[in-house]
Amino acid sequence: MVTGTPDLPSTPPIDTSKAHPARVYDWLLGGKDNYPVDEAVGRQLPPEAHDAARQNRAFMNRAAAWLAGRGLDQFLDVGTGIPTEPNLHQIVQRTVPTARVVYTDNDPIVLRHAEALLVSRPEGVTDYIQADVRRPDQILEHARRILDFERPVVLSLIALMHFVPDDQNAHGIVRELVAALPSGSHLVLSHAASDLYPELAEQVTAEYAKGGIRLGFRTRAEVARFFDGLELVEPGLVTATEWVKDVPAPRPEGSGIYAGVARVP
């Protein structure tokens, strides 16, 4: 089924004078739902940024499929971005048709695409909330209407937290979201690295800053802190191309993205 959408506001105006991470990411993936200001940022990024977007997306696909294969049937995807098939609900409902998925993003253009995100299999449920990760209380309040927090929930934070600098309490936000999850839940997180390719990281950070977007790339140790108190699933916290479970590994290539999946004990 598709849930009703009483919490979807009328579409707020889209500010086309400022770049937005979701739209820059869409441009990097070859999408069409972006504006000249977003393309301008994307064109100044090094070629490796395109690789990182592709690698990140592939990690999400593998992690979601693996978790669905283990019977997980509730997903909270924060920082959804502009729909790019296959979307998370399409991946997990292939294995678990009854899966419930709640999507969240703060870009009004994603709201305009909410109908695509809400096309669930008849047996399952998808829903969408316009919200910012910096308001975890608002996200959780809505998610509890759709998901049963007495049973395991998968929290997906894909390429999101490096857009939340340290002075905006990035680790505290994740702790608050994870604290709401019952035992057996999982955190799926990918994050741009500051220490794998430092010069590239500095270049990317500088180009995003020109577009008015602050970045907080982090070292492996700093990314690992997001998983404090959780049980990392093998192969642990690795690069996006190295995180593989029960499927053939992608071709070897360098990656500036850390990725990991961890279980809530």
Side-chain angles (χ1 to χ4, degrees):
M1 64 174 285
V2 177
T3 68
T5 56
D7 290 276
L8 289 181
S10 58
T11 305
I14 296 171
D15 186 353
T16 60
S17 68
K18 297 179 181 179
H20 190 282
R23 301 196 304 262
V24 175
Y25 189 63
D26 177 71
W27 185 86
L28 290 171
L29 289 171
K32 305 297 183 183
D33 295 299
N34 50 77
Y35 295 92
V37 65
D38 308 301
E39 181 178 348
V41 173
R43 286 194 178 279
Q44 295 304 313
L45 297 175
E48 290 83 356
H50 294 268
D51 295 333
R54 171 180 51 79
Q55 294 164 353
N56 181 70
R57 191 78 189 173
F59 159 69
M60 184 278 285
N61 291 356
R62 292 194 299 273
W66 181 75
L67 288 163
R70 292 177 61 82
L72 278 296
D73 63 354
Q74 299 192 108
F75 292 76
L76 174 57
D77 183 44
V78 185
T80 296
I82 295 165
T84 301
E85 290 195 359
N87 293 299
L88 189 147
H89 72 278
Q90 294 170 320
I91 294 168
V92 300
Q93 287 182 350
R94 290 171 185 166
T95 303
V96 187
T98 57
R100 291 174 167 250
V101 179
V102 174
Y103 289 109
T104 304
D105 204 282
N106 72 339
D107 184 1
I109 199 171
V110 181
L111 178 60
R112 291 189 175 180
H113 290 275
E115 289 184 3
L117 293 169
L118 294 173
V119 181
S120 168
R121 287 201 177 197
E123 308 96 318
V125 172
T126 62
D127 199 71
Y128 179 81
I129 175 176
Q130 172 92 8
D132 194 298
V133 69
R134 296 168 185 83
R135 288 293 310 276
D137 55 334
Q138 181 182 3
I139 292 171
L140 291 169
E141 179 184 2
H142 178 91
R144 287 189 175 100
R145 304 175 194 174
I146 310 300
L147 307 177
D148 178 4
F149 277 71
E150 297 298 316
R151 299 193 302 107
V153 174
V154 176
L155 171 63
S156 175
L157 302 173
I158 300 297
L160 174 63
M161 297 313 297
H162 50 249
F163 291 105
V164 184
D166 287 340
D167 61 7
Q168 295 180 358
N169 193 31
H171 288 94
I173 289 169
V174 175
R175 281 196 300 272
E176 183 172 347
L177 288 169
V178 170
L181 305 178
S183 176
S185 298
H186 287 72
L187 170 64
V188 180
L189 182 143
S190 61
H191 194 293
S194 63
D195 54 351
L196 292 175
Y197 303 97
E199 292 184 1
L200 281 174
E202 290 178 7
Q203 181 181 354
V204 170
T205 299
E207 294 300 337
Y208 268 96
K210 292 176 185 177
I213 299 172
R214 294 179 62 201
L215 287 176
F217 285 13
R218 295 182 171 92
T219 65
R220 186 182 186 282
E222 291 168 334
V223 175
R225 285 182 54 203
F226 289 114
F227 296 98
D228 282 354
L230 307 181
E231 301 168 351
L232 274 167
V233 171
E234 289 294 332
L237 180 58
V238 294
T239 64
T241 54
E242 293 174 318
W243 199 95
V244 181
K245 297 287 290 185
D246 304 337
V247 295
R251 63 182 176 84
E253 60 177 328
S255 175
I257 302 288
Y258 285 123
V261 176
R263 182 182 181 276
V264 177

